[in-house]
Amino acid sequence: MTDYSRVDVTEAAASLLRDLTKQHGPLMFHQSGGCCDGSSPMCYPVGMFLTGSGDVHLGAIDAGLDPSAGSGQASIRSEPIDPIEVYMSESQFEYWKYTHLTIDVVPGRGAGFSVEGPTGMRFLIRSRMLEPAELEAFGLAKG
């Protein structure tokens, strides 16, 4: 049985998340929607942003390197980094429920209170439509 996920992370974003975790401890993402900063995924230290009944848990991303991913990889971590939980406001989820989201990072100023702000990088969401098997797995289509 295939295990499907609604969220993923690029290696560039994972690398920044490893650095930010060293500085701030465990992290989480919240995607609220709206204009300005609300359209970017916001990254917070766990406990700094409280989720509630109006938020949907999309899943978790693992920002650590897989020790089997490459030989001679000098940056392989020696201790595990907890998966980073990803949430979205329920109203925003209604628009995005048919998409798979990948958290990426690009040069630019980070949004609002998101922890990447001072790094000169900013997180962004790349999306694609869910494939038929994913739609079925998430209860959005009948098989």
Side-chain angles (χ1 to χ4, degrees), residues 25-80:
L27 302 171
M28 57 89 66
F29 276 101
H30 188 269
Q31 175 81 38
S32 65
C35 67
C36 306
D37 289 349
S39 60
S40 298
M42 303 289 279
C43 186
Y44 301 100
V46 169
M48 184 174 278
F49 182 93
L50 301 178
T51 58
S53 61
D55 295 302
V56 176
H57 181 247
L58 298 177
I61 54 175
D62 182 357
L65 291 175
D66 180 352
S68 64
S71 58
Q73 191 86 309
S75 61
I76 294 175
R77 68 178 192 258
S78 59
E79 55 191 57

Side-chain angles (χ1 to χ4, degrees), residues 42-121:
M42 303 289 279
C43 186
Y44 301 100
V46 169
M48 184 174 278
F49 182 93
L50 301 178
T51 58
S53 61
D55 295 302
V56 176
H57 181 247
L58 298 177
I61 54 175
D62 182 357
L65 291 175
D66 180 352
S68 64
S71 58
Q73 191 86 309
S75 61
I76 294 175
R77 68 178 192 258
S78 59
E79 55 191 57
I81 295 173
D82 290 337
I84 297 170
E85 304 296 329
V86 181
Y87 296 87
M88 179 179 281
S89 69
E90 189 173 36
S91 60
Q92 183 74 358
F93 180 71
E94 281 305 308
Y95 294 108
W96 290 69
K97 67 182 171 185
Y98 294 98
T99 59
H100 178 275
L101 306 177
T102 300
I103 296 173
D104 199 0
V105 67
V106 294
R109 179 154 163 70
F113 297 105
S114 194
V115 295
E116 84 279 8
T119 69
M121 302 297 282

